[in-house]
Amino acid sequence: MAPLRFSANVSWLFPELPGLPARLRAAGSSGFRAAEVGWPYAEPPEALARAAREAGLQLVLINTPPGDREKGEMGLGAVPGRQAAFREGLEQAVLYAKALGCPRIHLMAGRVPQGADRAAVRGEMETVFLENLRHAAGVLAQENLVGLLEPINTRLTDPQYFLDTPQQAAAILQKVGRPNLQLQMDVFHWQIMDGNLTGNIREFLPIVGHVQVAQVPGRGEPSSPGELNFPYLFQLLEDEGYKGFVGCEYQPQGEGWPWGRELWRDGGCFLLMG
């Protein structure tokens, strides 16, 4: 049974440092061997690749561009009328992924348009998403890349986000039917929307390509007080044979990686909390 491998989400961790290269170096110094970045596009890809290489890090995940943040966009995959912008963003993400040696891209679904009724636009948005995902699967396959779909909770984090449950994401993946599109499981979002983590992990893990973790409800470290029993969840992932990365996407209460220093093995890490 392989130990879990953790990656530092440097868009969240080491917030005391001003830029992604510095955060990558800090992640490497803290003992991480892998990292992920939400949006790397403010930095030249060569600079990020060099910083990751010098830090001994493998880049394992980036997101597609969010779109126009000033207009409230948070991804474009399911947004009607933004198909061309989604495809342009996908091309940019592929360029970065190739330069960074990063095998996975989170294909962000985006938000229900402001003022629209979710139920009324759900069918149109799903149609747009399916069209964009089929296009993305073809583009990614040419570069041997994997696309990921991440449900984001609409109760606390983003009330307008289109894709908000693992069931919805799994149904869309089944309709697209492309092997290089997989599910991204953030247990923070899954717990808030649906709970039943043991059952959902066992049901959906065969199509999961990446996992992310944070405590509920405060989105702090797994060792912080909250609803989730992370020693149990990590053991469950190991027992179920999960072989991907576990992304640390939380708001750190302290600096760096204090909760995961106890034991490192086989180039990855496994968390022990007493």
Side-chain angles (χ1 to χ4, degrees):
M1 185 166 56
L4 294 179
R5 300 177 296 166
F6 288 77
S7 62
N9 190 313
V10 294
S11 296
W12 289 73
L13 301 190
F14 312 104
E16 69 279 4
L17 298 176
L20 292 177
R23 294 184 184 193
L24 289 169
R25 288 190 287 270
S29 298
S30 295
F32 282 101
R33 293 295 173 263
E36 55 198 68
V37 183
W39 296 306
Y41 307 107
E43 302 275 358
E46 297 80 10
L48 292 179
R50 182 170 59 253
R53 187 169 56 249
E54 292 173 351
L57 293 170
Q58 175 186 359
L59 269 294
V60 298
L61 177 69
I62 62 173
N63 296 345
T64 50
D68 191 335
R69 296 293 298 274
E70 292 185 1
K71 293 183 178 179
E73 291 182 329
M74 183 62 70
L76 301 172
V79 181
R82 296 289 275 152
Q83 290 92 323
F86 170 79
R87 295 183 182 199
E88 291 174 7
L90 175 66
E91 295 293 340
Q92 185 181 22
V94 168
L95 287 175
Y96 268 76
K98 290 171 62 179
L100 298 172
C102 177
R104 298 168 197 83
I105 299 174
H106 167 207
L107 306 171
M108 298 195 71
R111 291 171 169 157
V112 174
Q114 199 68 33
D117 178 77
R118 176 181 293 271
V121 300
R122 182 182 179 105
E124 180 187 7
M125 292 190 71
E126 181 172 304
T127 297
V128 170
F129 203 20
L130 292 172
E131 173 191 332
N132 280 332
L133 290 175
R134 291 187 181 106
H135 170 79
V139 171
L140 296 175
Q142 294 177 11
E143 305 295 344
N144 197 31
L145 299 172
V146 171
L148 299 173
L149 274 60
E150 180 188 17
I152 294 175
N153 83 80
T154 49
R155 289 182 172 150
L156 290 180
T157 300
D158 195 334
Q160 294 298 111
Y161 206 74
F162 172 70
L163 192 70
D164 64 352
T165 68
Q167 291 82 3
Q168 181 191 9
I172 287 173
L173 286 170
Q174 185 174 30
K175 290 177 182 179
V176 178
R178 302 296 175 86
N180 67 330
L181 298 185
Q182 298 175 344
L183 185 59
Q184 183 170 321
M185 178 178 75
D186 188 323
V187 297
F188 174 81
H189 297 304
W190 286 30
Q191 169 69 2
I192 290 169
M193 289 303 297
D194 197 58
N196 188 32
L197 285 179
T198 298
N200 283 336
I201 287 171
R202 286 176 173 158
E203 178 179 358
F204 296 115
L205 199 61
I207 60 171
V208 167
H210 191 73
V211 172
Q212 291 174 327
V213 295
Q215 186 58 273
V216 177
R219 208 165 189 173
E221 291 98 339
S223 58
S224 62
E227 299 175 14
L228 299 182
N229 180 344
F230 276 99
Y232 169 82
L233 291 174
F234 290 150
Q235 190 63 55
L236 177 64
L237 288 171
E238 281 204 353
D239 290 346
E240 294 295 313
Y242 178 65
K243 294 180 173 60
F245 286 90
V246 177
C248 298
E249 186 182 273
Y250 54 77
Q251 296 171 343
Q253 307 303 307
E255 292 187 3
W257 170 241
W259 59 273
R261 296 184 184 277
E262 288 85 350
L263 178 65
W264 294 83
R265 65 178 192 245
D266 295 339
C269 68
F270 182 74
L271 169 66
L272 294 180
M273 295 190 294

